[in-house]
Amino acid sequence: MPQPGSATVRSRVRIPLTFPDGYRAEAEVFTFHGLADGAEHLALALGTVPDGGTPLVRLHSECLTGDVFGSDRCDCGPQLRESVERISEAGGYLLYLRQEGRGIGLYNKLDAYALQDSGLDTYDANTALGLPEDGRDYTAAAQMLAALGVGGIDLLSNNPDKAAQLAELGTVVRHRVPTGVHLSASNVRYLTAKVERTGHSIELSRLVG
């Protein structure tokens, strides 16, 4: 994979965050010039990285239904909440990437939900629509980290593809740190498909036990 071109920090502003359960955090939010896909991705700096430490980084793909409306069809909202707290404690960055529906967009994601209701899993529903199982490209994420002066990270993710793409793009991934298992009756098929189809590091026993 070719190395991405350079991006630069466009602006930075402090924003206090309060989650529905009352958890509060202070974020410094960065915007960027020159991102490869032209999308309005954000980086949230949380906590303080200890001297000589490696920042904990989460690449979180935007999920309107989960992040904003609290949908139980995925684990995105709980992962976002967990990530903000864990990164605030360790010091690092949450990259909020505008990649709704694993890169297929909101309307297509909702169309895929309708197909899942007829029995397809989350990946087959995408391909039935003529779309990729996972259309995300993390070039912009690598550019954002470079613009922030970050060369090596601990990656907070269950998804091995994120680590593999970042490594190919020149970001050193020291460790991949799994998130918790955020299980609901509505997302067990979705999480099981992630494990069986794309090797996500989620304990299946927690899903089917």
Side-chain angles (χ1 to χ4, degrees):
M1 183 177 292
Q3 298 303 301
S6 61
T8 57
V9 172
R10 172 183 174 276
S11 67
R12 54 199 293 176
V13 61
R14 299 199 71 82
I15 298 178
L17 309 177
T18 303
F19 286 82
D21 63 359
Y23 176 75
R24 298 177 62 85
E26 188 81 13
E28 186 171 22
V29 180
F30 293 79
T31 66
F32 299 88
H33 285 301
L35 296 179
D37 57 10
E40 293 185 328
H41 305 302
L42 302 174
L44 281 68
L46 299 159
T48 303
V49 180
D51 289 343
T54 300
L56 183 63
V57 173
R58 165 79 181 163
L59 275 55
H60 187 90
S61 296
E62 178 181 41
C63 176
L64 179 73
T65 51
D67 296 343
V68 177
F69 297 121
S71 168
D72 282 339
R73 291 192 68 139
C74 62
D75 57 347
C76 302
Q79 281 191 326
L80 179 63
R81 163 66 178 82
E82 174 194 3
S83 297
V84 169
E85 183 170 2
R86 291 180 65 177
I87 297 170
S88 294
E89 292 172 352
Y93 297 93
L94 186 142
L95 305 189
Y96 196 82
L97 305 174
R98 313 302 296 274
Q99 300 172 328
E100 184 78 47
R102 297 197 302 273
I104 66 172
L106 179 60
Y107 279 16
N108 285 328
K109 182 178 82 169
L110 295 175
D111 291 343
Y113 277 177
L115 292 176
Q116 291 170 43
D117 289 342
S118 70
L120 297 183
D121 74 21
T122 181
Y123 298 104
D124 288 337
N126 281 20
T127 57
L129 293 170
L131 299 167
E133 290 185 356
D134 189 335
R136 290 174 293 182
D137 180 303
Y138 299 108
T139 299
Q143 289 179 301
M144 294 160 74
L145 292 170
L148 293 167
V150 176
I153 65 172
D154 289 337
L155 181 65
L156 183 60
S157 177
N158 300 322
N159 184 352
D161 184 54
K162 290 182 179 179
Q165 284 201 41
L166 285 177
E168 289 184 22
L169 290 161
T171 301
V172 176
V173 179
R174 189 183 67 162
H175 299 298
R176 183 163 61 88
V177 182
T179 72
V181 179
H182 302 288
L183 179 65
S184 74
S186 299
N187 71 19
V188 62
R189 287 182 61 241
Y190 166 78
L191 295 180
T192 300
K194 281 189 167 186
V195 174
E196 294 179 345
R197 297 288 297 272
T198 52
H200 280 58
S201 53
I202 305 170
E203 293 183 35
L204 272 177
S205 61
R206 298 279 299 278
L207 306 182
V208 300

